[in-house]
Amino acid sequence: MAESPSAKKKREGIEETHGTPGAQGNGGSDGDSFPLAELRVRKVLRESARDKTIFLHGQVNGVSGDGTDAVVILEKTPFQEENISDLLKRHTKLQLQMTNDIYSTYLLYPPPQLNEIKTTVVYPATEKHLQKYLRQEVYLIRETGEDYKNISLPFIQSQSFSIQWVYNILEKKAEADRIIYENPNPSDGFVLIPDFKWNQKQLDDLYLIAISHHREIKSLRDLTSEHLPLLRNILEEGKGAILKHFAVAGSQLRIYLHYQPSYYHLHVHFTALSYDAPGCSVERAHLLSDVIDNLELDSQYYQKRALTFPLRADEALLKKFQEAGKA
Ligand code: G7M
């Protein structure tokens, strides 16, 4: 979808609010904010009681008055230890729900500043964004090296899912003040930045991504021993930067690549080991240290081996595998 300058400006305003204004002192002004109160909810795309999240498809009126699609993700944030005593002292109400012997449950109503909801906005959202967040049946695919060449690669090349946000980070056009570490080498360097799923207010759900400066590596499938210096830099320098910045040791980090990724530009996930991050399960995550080992053993390892990954029922790639009789 072509993006109008005003929509782009709005989007950039919104993305500022993905940051951690409190931590970095650059809170976006309300004037630039997404008009949440004007959002007409069209559909609940997905919700999770366990993760305390809800994904909404809504519309707001564009300049011409027609509805422009938006995805709004609301997520209750984890507790922050340093706020707990405030929360207990300054609650506005404690409402008894039930009591039985020594057991009782209450509803506690905290003041607004201790009751925040992380809000992520994709606006304007394309049909692909809506599909991405819609709850779907999931199928496992086993993709051989040949399947990749014949089915997945042509499909990826025919797609236009924009990775402009990645280039914006690499070119310091967005999120520049959030960069934690950079190795500027164009072939072996990368940028380490908080993932936008993490608000940086607590370490329990620490989540950063390392984005390679090299622009020609789409995914795990493209990696050969030629890329070992880049991968080793990401592993070692990434761990070092996180230790320095957040005092979290490498042994407390899960460092991995997704296959398939959502965005075909090489990036590596760094999450807290104790955090069950979305997409860290065995059918999607490949530990970076294992990837390095495999490439040291065989430069063509990821071109040769079969890779398993999940695809949602509505994903066009699943249809391609089904048409080829492979799913
Ligand atoms: O599934 P995949 O390996 O492609 O993961 C991409 C990661 O990039 C996810 O963890 C997203 O939360 C993260 N991400 C996506 N966008 C659009 C942004 C963004 O604009 N900024 C940042 N910092 N992270 C993003």
Side-chain angles (χ1 to χ4, degrees), residues 150-222:
N150 299 332
I151 305 171
S152 307
L153 182 59
F155 172 78
I156 294 161
Q157 286 167 336
S158 72
Q159 291 300 295
S160 57
F161 206 35
S162 169
I163 50 172
Q164 189 55 46
W165 69 272
V166 170
Y167 297 143
N168 286 347
I169 290 174
L170 296 176
E171 293 164 16
K172 321 287 173 339
K173 291 182 183 158
E175 305 188 51
D177 56 341
R178 288 163 37 88
I179 292 176
I180 299 298
Y181 175 85
E182 176 170 19
N183 174 334
N185 187 302
S187 57
D188 300 340
F190 66 98
V191 167
L192 182 71
I193 194 159
D195 191 284
F196 79 172
K197 289 202 275 284
W198 184 38
N199 66 12
Q200 292 185 72
K201 291 198 172 165
Q202 59 288 311
L203 296 174
D204 314 56
D205 59 342
L206 175 140
Y207 200 145
L208 296 104
I209 42 172
I211 303 176
S212 92
H213 272 302
H214 194 314
R215 296 194 177 196
E216 307 307 321
I217 314 169
K218 285 183 285 306
S219 73
L220 191 62
R221 274 283 186 210
D222 285 343

Side-chain angles (χ1 to χ4, degrees), residues 72-254:
V72 175
I73 305 166
L74 303 176
E75 177 181 0
K76 298 209 179 184
T77 53
F79 288 104
Q80 292 164 45
E81 221 176 301
E82 63 273 22
N83 290 341
I84 293 295
S85 63
D86 251 14
L87 186 74
L88 302 180
K89 278 196 204 96
R90 297 176 42 211
H91 67 271
T92 51
K93 193 160 103 184
L94 186 66
Q95 187 180 52
L96 180 69
Q97 284 199 296
M98 73 99 198
T99 183
N100 181 350
D101 188 34
I102 59 170
Y103 305 100
S104 44
T105 63
Y106 296 86
L107 284 178
L108 181 149
Y109 294 91
Q113 66 276 21
L114 297 175
N115 194 20
E116 32 176 47
I117 292 180
K118 178 165 192 268
T119 305
T120 304
V121 177
V122 183
Y123 174 69
T126 64
E127 187 54 36
K128 282 196 181 141
H129 290 111
L130 301 180
Q131 289 305 322
K132 177 175 154 77
Y133 293 114
L134 188 65
R135 168 137 1 248
Q136 297 276 334
E137 289 263 12
V138 175
Y139 298 86
L140 271 193
I141 294 293
R142 186 120 176 105
E143 175 202 72
T144 62
E146 284 303 299
D147 293 338
Y148 175 72
K149 276 191 223 136
N150 299 332
I151 305 171
S152 307
L153 182 59
F155 172 78
I156 294 161
Q157 286 167 336
S158 72
Q159 291 300 295
S160 57
F161 206 35
S162 169
I163 50 172
Q164 189 55 46
W165 69 272
V166 170
Y167 297 143
N168 286 347
I169 290 174
L170 296 176
E171 293 164 16
K172 321 287 173 339
K173 291 182 183 158
E175 305 188 51
D177 56 341
R178 288 163 37 88
I179 292 176
I180 299 298
Y181 175 85
E182 176 170 19
N183 174 334
N185 187 302
S187 57
D188 300 340
F190 66 98
V191 167
L192 182 71
I193 194 159
D195 191 284
F196 79 172
K197 289 202 275 284
W198 184 38
N199 66 12
Q200 292 185 72
K201 291 198 172 165
Q202 59 288 311
L203 296 174
D204 314 56
D205 59 342
L206 175 140
Y207 200 145
L208 296 104
I209 42 172
I211 303 176
S212 92
H213 272 302
H214 194 314
R215 296 194 177 196
E216 307 307 321
I217 314 169
K218 285 183 285 306
S219 73
L220 191 62
R221 274 283 186 210
D222 285 343
L223 291 174
T224 65
S225 58
E226 180 200 332
H227 305 115
L228 280 168
L230 165 67
L231 299 175
R232 290 189 190 117
N233 285 349
I234 292 179
L235 184 64
E236 293 312 323
E237 296 172 25
K239 280 196 283 192
I242 290 175
L243 179 63
K244 193 166 160 214
H245 236 84
F246 303 105
V248 175
S251 60
Q252 298 307 306
L253 295 172
R254 185 183 289 113

Side-chain angles (χ1 to χ4, degrees), residues 21 28 34 42 50 68 111 120 150 167 169 176 237 259 267 274 287 300-301 308 317:
F34 178 75
R42 288 278 175 251
R50 198 196 73 164
T68 303
T120 304
N150 299 332
Y167 297 143
I169 290 174
E237 296 172 25
Y259 193 76
H267 56 275
S274 54
L287 287 178
Q300 304 296 304
Y301 184 88
T308 301
L317 184 56

